[in-house]
Amino acid sequence: MERELKGVGEEVLDHEQAKKEIWKYILGFAEMAVVKCAVELKIADAIESHGNPMTLPELASTLGCSASHLHRIMRFLVHRGIFKETATNIVQSSPTYSQTPLSRLLMRSGQHSMGSFILLESLPPMLAPWHGLSSRVQGGDSSAFEAANGEDYWSYAAANPAVNQLINDAMACNARLNVDAIVDKCKDLFQGVETVVDVGGGNGTTMGMLIKAFPWIRGINFDLPHVINDAKEFEGVENVGGDMFDSVPKADVVFIMSVLHDWGDEECIKVLKKCKEAIPEEKGKVIIVDAVIENEKEKEEDGLSDARLRLDIAMMAHTITGRERTMKEWEYILVQAGFNRHIVRPIDVVPSVIEAFP
């Protein structure tokens, strides 16, 4: 007797439902395009600066936009709950728009802005590899990114300063989101720690936030030289250029966030061995902040499984060997790198905190 298999939380669609659902995939790119448009126009920034809900004519005038076109963009965004269309009176026939927690994430600045991340992922060189996924799955020798752009992700970034800057800004967005969660959920993470090195720390935002939250630690922001050249200066943080595959600066704790998912097992094991060499055996630890893909039989608790699976496909599109890992896959590379034990802490964002001990 046949039975239909389905994933966790997935409903079996009948034919009529499926005919409606398919439009999400036919025009799925429209959501990214419209959200990118909102970020580029600085719609959320304009409403926030105004201090009150804005009518369509007010918003169009402030942004220098066609009111009729802007209305259609806002209708789309309101329909998805990104902005709120507030009640209007009889005299005031124009729609009035206000912010939501989600729209504030689309601002170009601010502590919780994710605008730069959206602009990065919607760049033509970032989108082009998605068109090569089928070739990638069929066993292409190079990454989809390299096939589309002529060089790998990191070489492309090094050769294109504007893209490199946007990558740094996007990673800073990600850092702010994740570090806020770490500070909230893992207050004891750096207890008794004097020095921390952030491997792949980008422009230093992560280390700067960690120093502010845990002022007793001394920080080292470590990344490739061309990245460190653009790093910010934070009190208590030293910026150091180098290659994590060669060596990692000595510290009590190695912190490595959203880096290992860019690489395959062999590369991760090599990096983790360098991290292990950098910490004292008796009190050191490596803190990995990366996604943990749930087993299909496990119950989703935080509503982020879909985001983690999307990120895994992004790794396939943008890297040669990168991937998001299950806990068993993390355990394998940690054991191979020589770590004796580890602790996993969910923090209610896409990544989890994995503490690995020598």
Side-chain angles (χ1 to χ4, degrees):
M1 181 178 179
E2 293 185 358
R3 63 189 182 94
E4 188 166 4
L5 298 178
K6 58 182 180 178
V8 176
E10 178 187 357
E11 295 181 1
V12 177
L13 301 177
D14 63 26
H15 183 60
E16 292 304 315
Q17 289 175 307
K19 287 193 296 184
K20 298 174 184 176
E21 190 81 2
I22 193 63
W23 284 99
K24 288 169 52 178
Y25 306 99
I26 294 172
L27 293 173
F29 63 87
E31 288 194 351
M32 171 181 271
V34 174
V35 169
K36 176 193 178 186
C37 175
V39 174
E40 290 179 330
L41 294 177
K42 300 184 179 180
I43 295 174
D45 303 76
I47 297 174
E48 189 74 11
S49 296
H50 188 71
N52 293 296
M54 297 183 75
T55 64
L56 179 63
E58 287 174 334
L59 190 57
S61 176
T62 299
L63 301 177
C65 294
S66 158
S68 62
H69 290 159
L70 182 60
H71 170 67
R72 291 156 70 183
I73 292 292
M74 295 304 294
R75 179 172 60 191
F76 187 99
L77 294 167
V78 167
H79 182 69
R80 279 152 183 79
I82 295 175
F83 287 95
K84 182 179 178 182
E85 186 172 324
T86 56
T88 57
N89 56 39
I90 297 174
V91 176
Q92 182 182 347
S93 59
S94 174
T96 305
Y97 305 108
S98 57
Q99 295 272 59
T100 69
L102 185 52
S103 70
R104 287 190 171 92
L105 296 179
L106 304 185
M107 293 173 60
R108 295 291 293 273
S109 61
Q111 177 66 18
H112 302 293
S113 168
M114 295 295 284
S116 293
F117 214 152
I118 291 166
L119 293 180
L120 171 66
E121 293 301 330
S122 57
L123 282 177
M126 300 298 285
L127 289 175
W130 290 90
H131 294 285
L133 274 182
S134 54
S135 296
R136 184 81 172 93
V137 173
Q138 289 171 331
D141 292 334
S142 62
S143 71
F145 189 96
E146 187 173 350
N149 296 297
E151 53 191 335
D152 66 40
Y153 182 89
W154 293 275
S155 299
Y156 187 91
N160 293 272
V163 174
N164 185 63
Q165 182 60 53
L166 191 52
I167 289 172
N168 288 339
D169 291 344
M171 293 305 100
C173 290
N174 189 49
R176 287 190 290 268
L177 191 69
N178 293 340
V179 173
D180 278 349
I182 291 168
V183 172
D184 182 48
K185 302 292 183 181
C186 305
K187 291 181 172 60
D188 62 334
L189 195 60
F190 297 100
Q191 187 174 348
V193 172
E194 295 180 6
T195 55
V196 177
V197 56
D198 181 11
V199 175
N203 70 0
T205 296
T206 297
M207 200 69 254
M209 291 182 69
L210 290 176
I211 289 285
K212 185 176 180 180
F214 308 102
W216 59 85
I217 62 177
R218 180 174 64 84
I220 302 170
N221 180 47
F222 179 66
D223 213 315
L224 294 169
H226 77 270
V227 177
I228 290 299
N229 286 341
D230 296 325
K232 299 177 181 179
E233 296 292 333
F234 293 95
E235 185 176 352
V237 179
E238 178 186 6
N239 291 312
V240 176
D243 189 330
M244 65 184 181
F245 289 102
D246 294 331
S247 65
V248 171
K250 301 287 186 182
D252 295 334
V253 168
V254 171
F255 185 92
I256 183 164
M257 179 168 70
S258 301
V259 171
L260 294 178
H261 71 167
D262 291 330
W263 302 96
D265 289 354
E266 183 178 342
E267 295 94 342
C268 285
I269 291 166
K270 183 175 182 179
V271 170
L272 285 170
K273 284 182 177 179
K274 296 298 180 183
C275 293
K276 186 171 178 286
E277 291 171 2
I279 59 175
E281 188 172 352
E282 64 279 3
K283 67 172 185 177
K285 63 181 176 180
V286 174
I287 299 172
I288 301 165
V289 183
D290 249 320
V292 178
I293 299 287
E294 295 170 329
N295 186 292
E296 289 183 3
K297 295 181 180 179
E298 294 176 348
K299 182 180 179 182
E300 180 184 359
E301 294 183 355
D302 60 10
L304 289 166
S305 290
D306 188 64
R308 296 181 184 112
L309 292 173
R310 288 172 187 258
L311 193 56
D312 181 52
I313 302 301
M315 293 301 103
M316 188 189 303
H318 292 156
T319 71
I320 298 175
T321 56
R323 63 187 302 167
E324 303 305 331
R325 291 176 167 85
T326 65
M327 197 58 248
K328 285 187 178 180
E329 290 167 333
W330 279 116
E331 288 170 354
Y332 170 76
I333 63 173
L334 287 170
V335 169
Q336 293 299 310
F339 291 90
N340 290 318
R341 65 186 182 92
H342 61 271
I343 299 170
V344 182
R345 301 193 194 191
I347 52 174
D348 294 338
V349 286
V350 170
S352 294
V353 170
I354 305 171
E355 295 178 78
F357 302 90

